[in-house]
């Protein structure tokens, strides 16, 4: 192995500390703590774990946490009512509706009623559109965390070739937008891309968000490439990414591990987005250095 392993866990811990340090100044100016509401529908075990750790991290950062766990059979109208009441609740700066929702609920319809100013997931079309046209926006947590790791590793990303594998609304598309904002030359590859290995080999930066275990191999990479693995797949009880770590680490210059790479960044950026949303809602300038 020649690649440096990018320690997302350590970076995320430092980001969480910086957020926590900025909370008292907000509280003294606004007269209240920043608040994050997390909504879970149903009892998917993985989602329960995520929601619990989001709540714990929110409290650990000194923020107010509001958890709403609804039964699997909850109707869409009831969920929409809850989101609307959270929109009106002045203690709530961020609203996160945990995905996936049960099949009888249209997630687009629910996300569409979240106040864009409280949309700390950055999933509302208003925030997606703002990001696309280069206006200030709340940006999806996982891709923003990837950009932070890339800039920490590489400094200025200007002019670099970036290949994003995956085109989801949650990761691939916002990732490509953020890389364009950093002046990268961006290719978005996906399941219909022809000769994917040749496309991936163009990348000085490769972001893997395809949702297929260990799909990207070391001999697909440009030597020295920086590889960000967003994948979380379970094979025989073991967590693996979308990149075949062993072979990739022999070719890449730097690579994120799974677990311990991108994963811990998502919650840290969620707290950062909540703090940012709180400042904007209170009419305060955005906190610096976050
Ligand atoms: N489910 C898995 N990841 C996420 C996320 O980042 N936000 C939401 N709302 N649900 C998720």
């Amino acid at each position: 192995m020649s690649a440096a392993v990018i320690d997302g866990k350590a970076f995320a811990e430092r980001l969480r500390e910086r957020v926590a340090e900025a909370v008292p100044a907000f509280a003294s100016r606004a007269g209240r703590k920043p608040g994050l509401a997390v909504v879970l529908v149903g009892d998917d075990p993985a989602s329960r774990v995520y929601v619990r750790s989001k709540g714990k991290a929110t409290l650990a950062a000194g923020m107010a946490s509001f958890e709403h766990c609804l039964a699997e059979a909850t109707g869409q109208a009831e969920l929409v009512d809850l989101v609307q009441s959270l929109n009106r609740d002045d203690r709530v700066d961020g609203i996160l509706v945990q995905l996936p929702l049960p099949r009888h609920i249209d997630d687009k319809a629910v996300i569409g009623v979240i106040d864009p100013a409280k949309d700390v997931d950055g999933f509302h079309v208003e925030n997606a559109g703002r990001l696309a046209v280069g206006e200030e926006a709340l940006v999806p947590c996982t891709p923003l965390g990837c950009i932070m790791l890339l800039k920490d590793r590489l400094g200025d990303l200007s002019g670099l070739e970036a290949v994003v594998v995956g085109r989801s609304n949650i990761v691939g598309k916002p990732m490509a937008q953020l890389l364009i904002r950093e002046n990268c030359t961006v290719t978005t590859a996906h399941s219909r891309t022809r000769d994917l290995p040749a496309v991936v080999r163009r990348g000085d930066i490769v972001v893997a968000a395809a949702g297929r275990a260990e799909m990207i191999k070391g001999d697909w990479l440009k030597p020295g490439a920086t590889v960000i693995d967003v994948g979380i797949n379970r094979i025989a009880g073991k967590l693996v990414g979308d990149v075949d770590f062993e072979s990739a680490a022999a070719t890449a210059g730097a690579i994120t591990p799974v677990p311990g790479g991108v994963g811990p960044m998502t919650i840290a950026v969620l707290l950062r987005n909540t703090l940012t949303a709180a400042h904007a809602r209170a009419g305060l300038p955005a906190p610096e250095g976050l």
Side-chain angles (χ1 to χ4, degrees):
M1 185 172 96
S2 61
V5 177
I6 297 171
D7 191 345
K9 190 159 175 272
F11 190 100
E13 274 165 19
R14 292 195 299 274
L15 177 56
R16 283 170 61 163
E17 279 166 18
R18 292 202 300 278
V19 170
E21 283 163 10
V23 165
F26 172 84
S28 72
R29 295 179 75 177
R32 62 180 182 82
K33 295 173 176 180
L36 173 64
V38 178
V39 180
L40 172 68
V41 185
D43 33 39
D44 177 69
S47 291
R48 269 185 185 280
V49 172
Y50 288 137
V51 165
R52 198 166 316 127
S53 50
K54 283 168 186 169
K56 269 203 217 157
T58 305
L59 294 174
M63 299 184 184
S65 170
F66 307 92
E67 254 181 67
H68 295 267
C69 296
L70 307 180
E72 176 84 18
T74 301
Q76 185 168 314
E78 192 184 327
L79 179 56
V80 164
D81 282 350
L82 172 61
V83 170
Q84 284 170 334
S85 78
L86 296 171
N87 285 343
R88 290 188 299 269
D89 188 337
D90 197 44
R91 301 166 304 165
V92 173
D93 297 291
I95 301 171
L96 181 146
V97 178
Q98 184 68 26
L99 302 178
L101 287 167
R103 261 189 311 209
H104 64 276
I105 297 177
D106 174 6
D107 51 7
K108 284 197 182 73
V110 175
I111 290 163
V113 297
I114 297 174
D115 177 352
K118 297 188 176 188
D119 170 36
V120 284
D121 258 330
F123 292 168
H124 192 288
V125 288
E126 180 170 323
N127 281 312
R130 284 173 163 271
L131 175 61
V133 298
E135 284 182 26
E136 209 156 286
L138 284 164
V139 174
C141 303
T142 300
L144 186 52
C146 295
I147 286 285
M148 290 177 181
L149 294 178
L150 283 167
K151 288 172 82 168
D152 184 57
R153 174 81 202 164
L154 298 170
D156 184 9
L157 308 183
S158 271
L160 295 177
E161 289 274 352
V163 178
V164 180
V165 185
R167 55 177 157 176
S168 70
N169 291 332
I170 292 179
V171 181
K173 284 180 199 159
M175 189 74 235
Q177 296 292 352
L178 286 168
L179 288 162
I180 291 169
R181 198 168 80 175
E182 297 298 328
N183 304 310
C184 290
T185 301
V186 181
T187 303
T188 302
H190 46 76
S191 53
R192 306 285 178 90
T193 295
R194 267 184 274 163
D195 198 356
L196 184 58
V199 173
V200 169
R201 206 169 288 121
R202 293 210 290 259
D204 302 302
I205 293 168
V206 176
V207 180
R212 291 189 45 191
E214 299 180 328
M215 178 181 73
I216 294 172
K217 310 294 181 194
D219 62 1
W220 297 17
L221 298 170
K222 179 193 276 195
T226 302
V227 179
I228 304 291
D229 191 349
V230 182
I232 300 178
N233 312 282
R234 203 173 283 275
I235 297 184
K238 184 171 167 256
L239 282 188
V240 299
D242 290 354
V243 178
D244 176 27
F245 186 88
E246 286 309 320
S247 67
T251 316
I255 183 168
T256 59
V258 178
V262 173
M265 290 299 292
T266 301
I267 289 184
V269 176
L270 175 65
L271 300 176
R272 179 249 181 225
N273 280 358
T274 303
L275 187 68
T276 303
H279 280 76
R281 291 186 61 248
L284 298 170
E288 274 172 35
L290 292 174

